Amino acid sequence: MVTPVLMIAIPLLAAFLMPLIKKAHRYFTFSILLLNAILSVLLFAKVYNDGAIYETIAGFSPPVGIYLAVDNLSALLALIINLFATINFVTSKKDFKFSMLYLLGVTGATGIVLTGDIFNMFVFFEITAVASYALVASKKDEKAVEGSIKYMILGSVGSSFMLIGIAIIYSQLKSLNLYDIAARISSMDPKMMWLSFSFLLTGIGVEAELFPLNGWVPDAYEGASSNIASFLSFGPSKASIYAIARLLIIFSMSRTYELALYVGIATLLIGEVAAFMQKNEKRMLAYSSIGQMGLILIAFSLIKDTSYAIPAAFFIIVSHASAKSSLFLISGKKGFGGITSKYVGLAGVLSLIGMPPMAGFWGKWYLLMGIADEKMWAVAAVIIFSAVIEAIYFARYLHKNLGEGESEDLGYSIPAAVMVSVSIVMGILPLIYNMAGGVLNA
Amino acid sequence: MVVEKIAVIALYTTIAMFVGILFMGVGRKIVARVHNRVGPPVYQGFIDIAKLLTKKTNISHGWIYDLALLFSMTGIMLTILFLPIGGVKLLSMEGDAFLVLYLLAIPALGFALGAGASGNPNAAIGVMRALVMMLSYELPFVITLIALMIYYDTSSIAQIVEMQHAKWAIMIPPFVLAAAVADMALQGMLMEAPFDIPTAPHEIASGPMAEFGGKHLGALMIYKAGTIVAYTTLFVDLFLGGGVVMHDGSVLAYLANFAVWFILIFLVFTLSLLINTSFPRFRIEQAFKFYWKYEALLAFISLIWVYLMVIS
Amino acid sequence: MLELIFAVLLIAAFATLFIKSGRIAAIISLIASAMPLIAVMDWANDFGIKAFSFGVENSMDFSIAGITMHLSITSFAWFFAVMVFSLLPPIFLFSYSFFEKNNGFFPFMLFLITAVFGILLASDFLTLFFFWELMAASSFILVYISRDKKAIMSYLAFSVLSAVLILVGIALLYSQSGTLIFSDIVLNADKVTVSAIILMVAGFAVKSALMPLHAWAPFVYSKADEPFVAFLSGGLSKVGYYGMFFMLFALPGAKILHQYFNSGVATYLLAVIGAISAFIGTLLAFMEDDLRKLLAYSSIAQLGYIAVGFGIGSSLAMAGALFQAFNHAFFKSVLFLAAGAVAYRTGKWKISELGGVGYKMPFTFMAALFAIFALAAIPITSGFAAKWLLYEAAVSNKYIFITPIMLIAGVGAFLYSFRILYGVFLGENRHDDIKEAPLPMIAGMFLLVLPLIIFLIFPGYMLDMMHSALVDAGIGTISHTNYVIRTGTASYNTLAVVIGMMVVMIPAFLIYVLRKQKKVDFKDNFLAGEPYEFYGYISMHAANNFYKPIEDVIMPYLRKGAISFYTALYNAMGRVSDASRKIYTGLSQDYTIYIIIFFFIIVGWLIW
Amino acid sequence: MGLFDGDIMKYEDWNKISRIASRKSLWMVHFCTGCGAIELPPVMTSRYDMERFGMGPMATPRQADVLLITGYLTVKTLKRVVNVYEQMQSPKYVISFGSCPINGGMYWDSYNTVKRLDRYLPVDVYVGGCMPRPEGVMNAFLELMKLIDEGKARGWEKYQKYYEQYKRNQKMAFNFEREKDEGA
């Protein structure tokens, strides 16, 4: 009954219907997002009970047709993206164009997660990216436009790299299906294979905020309004890091994993170190996001070797999506105005630095266990270092926001509280460990 | 048994206090002779204490101020119980050198409490100097103490005394150095020049004692007498075999040991007085530097020497 | 029953989160905090001590899909539990008066208690680490309430450092032995295990404020709410030492270290660090003017002794260390609470601004006085027995470096004790308008003084209490009766001290009783003949730069301490951070070039 | 409680011990008010050596038994002297040096000196001369000892008995000074 197609089709359709429903566009969009979130819950339940769903569209069989593949992790990610999108949309106060773009962005991010076809993935990338450029610019001040333009330039460079990568693969294997590619990747000319991998990694890496492809990140996050910054941190970035994980699994060579590990470490270090002295709150959070993306990439780079990698990555994604999004939502005020935003800030920070009862704790636990499995002590040292750095600047962030400031804007802080409570729920019920275990095998 | 023990304790503390008060007079006599004066009679200490205890009026600054009296007298007598006097072990088998070190702090702390409660700023400054002086001289002193403990493999003073039956510690080369260090530490403990700045009368109006008068001061003088006996006995026990010359347990041995102990503490006290009369005062930080730089170094050399001797 | 205790604690925590009044929250917390204490009392029967039985089971497995948390009480955890949980009801009693409004102290304190209960009960590493982190998080929020920048930053940074060190240590151990359950772990003397042990001990040492990792303590202790600081110094630091005890003796890490290094060098190093901690902490303590900072450094110093005991590791030393831990838990809590009571009435922290409080708050002063006697290890208090055991242990092992340092630190304790006594409670009577602290505060402080009095004459009771802990950890106990402790080389008889004291007290007591005296005002004081009124405009309280002469000598050597090292590190890191942000030039063309360079690098790396 | 007041021991007996002890142990307060103080060092040091008699200087009035008024007293100094005297513990004695405390001496017409000390403090022994020589000072000490021995040095009891009068006199002197200050 529940099919993944609906989750892409409904919002896409709704987005195009938007100009017709100008008046009630906010309620309409919200109900669509809510529907999508409910669908994703049902989808997750189905996938959890019956195993992965592979679905073709319009009757073409796999190597040729559009193809959706949903396993536990991608269903969960879709759930998170749609759930947070629903909560986040509550804060929107803009016109129908905004709602339309927002729906498109969510569609794209969901599509990236659910698709099983590399070209589709590219298309969804484009959808979410273009929507994001416009969303960043929707604040309509100088900084927003600047951020948007930088984002757009780099995003389009990235897209072209990605497209070239896809072209190389297609020229070699005559296939766009991810599973098909994964099965036949060894038959490729090695040089072509490496070349295509490099193009794809570079292309997706721009969206996934990997160093040094992430030049747009601080400007775009700083320029965007708080709810869009929040959207960026749970939507496109999480979807694209998931795409990188799929890429790694497809190419599944020890060199690619090694490369991912190095890129992850570099991203982690640069992100955390840059955030350390950053006084501007939103930029600091943006740099911190970069660091967290590095951490997620490190976790993904261990997929092949240890079963702890996926839960680690999953918990860090949940922790980061919920905590960072809520922090972005309550940012931009002069301090935590009231009790809600104070506790949201605290919970968010504690989740990010990995303290229970938040999801971040389990992320840190599984990541370190995975690293111990691999005996990569240098990585452990890097993580110790970055954790301490992170603790210091987040402590400063918390202290800076202590002022009584303006009175609390409950319109922002309650959605933020709901978001951060997701992290707490995930932390308290580590039963997700079982659900996330043993998924994502091609 | 217990009654007997208590009687012996009472007897010995009385004797020790008697000796201490006597030494105060003798000390003044000796100093006077060095100054080419006649000096007071040797029993002057008794007269002074009698006068102070028979004063007609007394002031008090509250109950903590009064505690000083109780603490200082009790503390010093208690310390004497834990020191072998002429080889007689009162309670010294029930405690050891660490206990003695800390027991010596009871009167000091009580005294400091009383001085603090008096509210006199001079008293507070005096206590500060006394405490800093304590910190200063304790370092070289504990190092020499540890040297002894390691050499004799015991921390009990009674056993250290017993083990010196054959040969006094001071006859062993490293302990000559240690004894010299400990003697300078003794100078600080007794607050004799050059380390008498805590109670400098002209400078801070005799420091901690500034507000004490009458019976309180009388009790403090008894305490002072006690410190003379306690510290010199400690020195004699540690380095000079506790004055034990006969070991057969006869009455004669008791008397002889007691006599030798008396002579030895008198000599140690006289040495300290002679140093006292020949030197001006150190400032407090000079004293601190003296003890922690030179004295501690010498003490540590002797400790390492002993350590090497024990190990080989 | 055990679930019930956790449930009550958590429900109370959530309930107090929504209660505005500090009074009601304090009562709820008081009742909730009695729950773990009941369990602890109950478990006493398991470890050879007669007590009431309430039928609390001593182990529990808590399991949700895939993850099982094993909880069970061990003898050494029980010993630490006794000291930690007996602190809590008095502290909450104190808080009843201290907090008019509930500022978040009560709920997070209850979370903290839950976490500590979990840590002490944990019997696998996941549980241990989970509750350790919960403790770090809730105590961080309690620090956060203080609103002080340095406290918040240093506490979070060091908490995370400790957590990550422990986590890496656990990961290393796990990679070696493949299990997280304590009883299944078999250790070998190899490089990984040894580094795991060292990392974890370092991680636990952060919470115990051991010297190079102590930098958070002065800031946090001096800024957070007093009842919390009392628990932080009294209770949480002991949890850190519980971790160390567990690693070194229960696992047993110390043996592994001995095997690996072929000598006791690693544990000796721990003892040296502890001794230096005691020494430098003492020096810094008596030069401090802020009462709470003074107590913080004093805590660092007193906790250093415990590390010395752990480092030496003989039965004598361990008995001393545990005894010292127990004493410190109580006397330092009393001192912090007394500081809180003084601040509650006067609103001042600087010793140079206080003075004469003891005349107006005699009961607070008496509680503090007793605690200070225990702290300075005056032989008629229980504080001495602990230090005596440690000194004996050090000397009988012929540690020529540690012993004098420990002893001189013990002497230094008199210096800062006097600083508190004189600077805060005695001296010039400057506070005419204050009253004695409220009754609950005094009751709380005196309840905490009570154990110190019990173990005064009967240190044997304490040794009985730690008996099964030491035996279970394979250390062995020392021979003792109720009031005599015997070591190979000496003995300490508290009864002899007390009886001897009573005998020699007679003459002093006679003079004391028979003195006829006139009580005079503070103003009737010898000031070189000047009447006090003439000095009305000058403070007669000698408390500014009290130890200035010695400070001038010592400070040049201590200026480059750990805190300045961390500050320099922070600044250097800040410069690196500023430099690293130069990468983000803000120019799209630069970023595009980065992309292209990145592409060529990975292509090159992958293909060649 | 009465051990020292006659409940247990007869007051006179106790008093006798007290007198004997305090005669042989006179501690003087180190408070030099005038030029006569210069005569004290010879008395203390080896030539005359007052420590023979158990005498010695003490740092504070709390510890001392004898107050030496070594020369003239201004009104301003008198205030301090009275303060010091009142801080001393009984029994306490006053010795006045030279002619100034007796009748003003060479300052007989000064507006600012105290002409007759015994209006303000009970003086036990006067030493005449301007200044008295050390022998005189020694003699005064011996005289004081004799008086104590005979129980005649009762200045402190007099001060207690006529406290009001002494206070009134002192107050007059101080007030004179204050009025003068205000007038100037």
Side-chain angles (χ1 to χ4, degrees), chain A residues 217-366:
Chain A
V217 174
D219 290 320
Y221 277 90
E222 191 194 1
S225 55
S226 15
N227 56 345
I228 291 310
S230 165
F231 168 72
L232 288 180
S233 66
F234 68 76
S237 61
K238 295 296 169 291
S240 30
I241 199 78
Y242 178 72
I244 288 187
R246 287 207 150 177
L247 192 68
L248 288 173
I249 289 164
I250 290 165
F251 284 83
S252 200
M253 300 282 171
S254 59
R255 289 203 99 177
T256 55
Y257 285 121
E258 213 178 318
L259 180 72
L261 181 65
Y262 291 147
V263 173
I265 289 173
T267 312
L268 174 65
L269 279 179
I270 289 289
E272 303 291 11
V273 168
F276 185 74
M277 264 291 146
Q278 178 59 264
K279 294 286 185 330
N280 184 318
E281 196 176 303
K282 278 190 170 179
R283 285 181 84 90
M284 189 208 87
L285 290 174
Y287 285 125
S288 165
S289 293
I290 295 174
Q292 294 279 334
M293 298 311 276
L295 209 56
I296 298 168
L297 190 61
I298 291 174
F300 275 131
S301 74
L302 303 174
I303 284 179
K304 197 177 170 212
D305 306 306
T306 167
S307 59
Y308 289 115
I310 288 173
F314 170 72
F315 278 113
I316 300 173
I317 286 176
V318 170
S319 154
H320 184 232
S322 69
K324 201 54 76 58
S325 315
S326 49
L327 288 186
F328 270 121
L329 263 192
I330 58 168
S331 71
K333 310 278 185 303
K334 279 191 192 123
F336 301 148
I339 197 100
T340 317
S341 50
K342 186 169 144 192
Y343 283 130
V344 167
L346 268 173
V349 166
L350 291 182
S351 179
L352 285 173
I353 61 181
M355 286 197 176
M358 321 290 173
F361 169 78
W362 299 104
K364 203 164 75 174
W365 172 265
Y366 286 122

Side-chain angles (χ1 to χ4, degrees), chain C residues 266-312:
Chain C
T267 45
Y268 178 72
L269 214 61
L270 179 65
V272 169
I273 288 173
I276 289 176
S277 209
F279 178 63
I280 298 192
T282 304
L283 291 187
L284 290 170
F286 66 69
M287 288 184 242
E288 198 53 65
D289 189 35
D290 187 323
L291 176 57
R292 289 181 293 186
K293 272 195 180 173
L294 189 154
L295 291 175
Y297 281 119
S298 140
S299 287
I300 292 167
Q302 296 295 326
L303 291 168
Y305 283 99
I306 307 174
V308 175
F310 282 13
I312 297 172

Side-chain angles (χ1 to χ4, degrees), chain A residues 146 149-150 153-154 157-158 161 190-191 194-195 197-199 201-202 206 210-216 218-219 255-256 258-259 262-263 270-279 283 287 290 308 336 342-343 346 349-350 353-357 361-362 364-366 368-369 371-373 375 377 380-381 383-385 387-396 398-399 401-404 427-431 433-434, chain C residues 14 17 64-67 69 103-104 107-108 124-127 129-138 140-141 144-150 152-154 156-165 167-176 180 192 199 569-578 580-581 583-608:
Chain A
E146 184 191 339
I149 286 179
K150 279 176 192 164
I153 294 172
L154 295 189
V157 171
F161 270 79
K191 276 190 183 166
W194 294 131
L195 205 58
F197 177 80
S198 308
F199 273 116
L201 183 67
T202 313
V206 172
L210 302 184
F211 177 79
L213 317 171
N214 50 13
W216 58 273
D219 290 320
R255 289 203 99 177
T256 55
E258 213 178 318
L259 180 72
Y262 291 147
V263 173
I270 289 289
E272 303 291 11
V273 168
F276 185 74
M277 264 291 146
Q278 178 59 264
K279 294 286 185 330
R283 285 181 84 90
Y287 285 125
I290 295 174
Y308 289 115
F336 301 148
K342 186 169 144 192
Y343 283 130
L346 268 173
V349 166
L350 291 182
I353 61 181
M355 286 197 176
F361 169 78
W362 299 104
K364 203 164 75 174
W365 172 265
Y366 286 122
L368 260 294
M369 286 297 146
I371 288 171
D373 257 10
K375 301 196 170 29
W377 307 126
I383 288 173
I384 294 180
F385 172 75
V388 174
I389 295 260
E390 200 175 9
I392 292 173
Y393 68 72
F394 270 122
R396 201 183 52 222
L398 282 179
H399 176 258
N401 281 311
L402 259 173
E404 296 305 328
I428 291 174
L429 302 174
L431 99 189
Y433 168 65
N434 265 8
Chain C
F14 280 112
L17 203 54
I64 338 170
I67 289 173
M69 291 189 166
N103 63 350
F108 292 104
D124 68 291
F125 273 122
L126 175 60
T127 318
F129 185 65
F130 181 83
F131 283 114
W132 181 268
E133 285 280 66
L134 191 63
M135 177 189 89
S138 42
F140 168 69
I141 295 174
Y144 182 65
I145 295 169
S146 75
R147 315 177 78 93
D148 182 72
K149 187 176 180 184
K150 273 187 176 168
I152 292 172
M153 283 174 71
S154 57
L156 191 61
F158 277 95
S159 288
V160 168
L161 179 67
S162 112
V164 193
L165 287 177
L167 180 52
V168 172
I170 292 173
L172 287 165
L173 279 183
Y174 180 58
S175 74
Q176 285 305 102
L180 289 171
V192 177
L199 282 177
L569 206 62
Y570 176 80
N571 291 336
M573 201 56 230
R575 282 194 291 279
V576 172
S577 168
D578 286 339
S580 77
R581 271 184 286 115
I583 296 169
Y584 295 95
T585 53
L587 298 173
S588 305
Q589 53 269 49
D590 288 353
Y591 295 151
T592 318
I593 291 168
Y594 291 165
I595 293 177
I596 292 161
I597 292 172
F598 174 76
F599 171 72
F600 281 114
I601 286 173
I602 62 168
V603 166
W605 192 79
L606 285 172
I607 294 183
W608 291 283

Side-chain angles (χ1 to χ4, degrees), chain D residues 36-173:
Chain D
I38 204 70
E39 303 297 335
L40 280 174
V43 181
M44 287 181 209
T45 48
S46 49
R47 172 112 192 204
Y48 293 99
D49 186 24
M50 70 191 193
E51 206 183 1
R52 282 183 287 164
F53 309 113
M55 291 189 74
M58 274 290 145
T60 76
R62 296 283 189 214
Q63 306 162 347
D65 310 303
V66 185
L67 177 61
L68 302 184
I69 309 295
T70 56
Y72 76 94
L73 279 180
T74 63
V75 176
K76 194 174 169 184
T77 325
L78 180 64
K79 201 177 261 179
R80 276 80 179 162
V81 169
V82 169
N83 196 2
V84 165
Y85 182 73
E86 287 181 354
Q87 283 180 341
M88 287 165 69
Q89 309 294 312
S90 309
K92 50 192 174 183
Y93 314 102
V94 179
I95 297 179
S96 83
F97 272 39
S99 34
C100 302
I102 300 173
N103 58 7
M106 62 188 281
Y107 304 103
W108 62 274
D109 60 347
S110 166
Y111 62 93
N112 201 24
T113 46
V114 174
K115 309 298 180 303
R116 279 190 57 193
L117 179 61
D118 61 359
R119 281 173 60 89
Y120 311 106
L121 287 178
V123 180
D124 291 296
V125 177
Y126 288 101
V127 196
C130 183
M131 288 304 298
R133 292 194 43 84
E135 295 93 328
V137 177
M138 286 304 288
N139 207 18
F141 290 157
L142 290 175
E143 183 65 26
L144 179 62
M145 286 175 196
K146 209 175 94 193
L147 287 175
I148 293 169
D149 207 20
E150 292 165 0
K152 285 178 185 165
R154 292 179 164 239
W156 58 278
E157 286 174 8
K158 209 167 125 195
Y159 191 72
Q160 278 177 359
K161 198 170 170 188
Y162 302 111
Y163 186 69
E164 319 262 286
Q165 283 88 331
Y166 276 116
K167 275 285 142 196
R168 204 180 57 224
N169 288 352
Q170 287 163 7
K171 211 172 198 172
M172 275 167 68

Side-chain angles (χ1 to χ4, degrees), chain A residues 141-209:
Chain A
D141 64 5
E142 207 172 304
K143 283 211 159 155
V145 174
E146 184 191 339
S148 168
I149 286 179
K150 279 176 192 164
Y151 189 8
M152 192 167 73
I153 294 172
L154 295 189
S156 37
V157 171
S159 313
S160 40
F161 270 79
M162 193 177 166
L163 194 58
I164 297 169
I166 293 168
I168 294 171
I169 288 178
Y170 190 70
S171 72
Q172 291 284 311
L173 298 178
K174 303 283 182 251
S175 168
L176 290 170
N177 184 298
L178 287 173
Y179 295 83
D180 199 38
I181 297 170
R184 297 196 289 133
I185 194 82
S186 50
S187 64
M188 251 171 105
D189 175 19
K191 276 190 183 166
M192 281 301 163
M193 184 178 81
W194 294 131
L195 205 58
S196 65
F197 177 80
S198 308
F199 273 116
L200 283 172
L201 183 67
T202 313
I204 305 173
V206 172
E207 277 293 326
E209 305 176 5

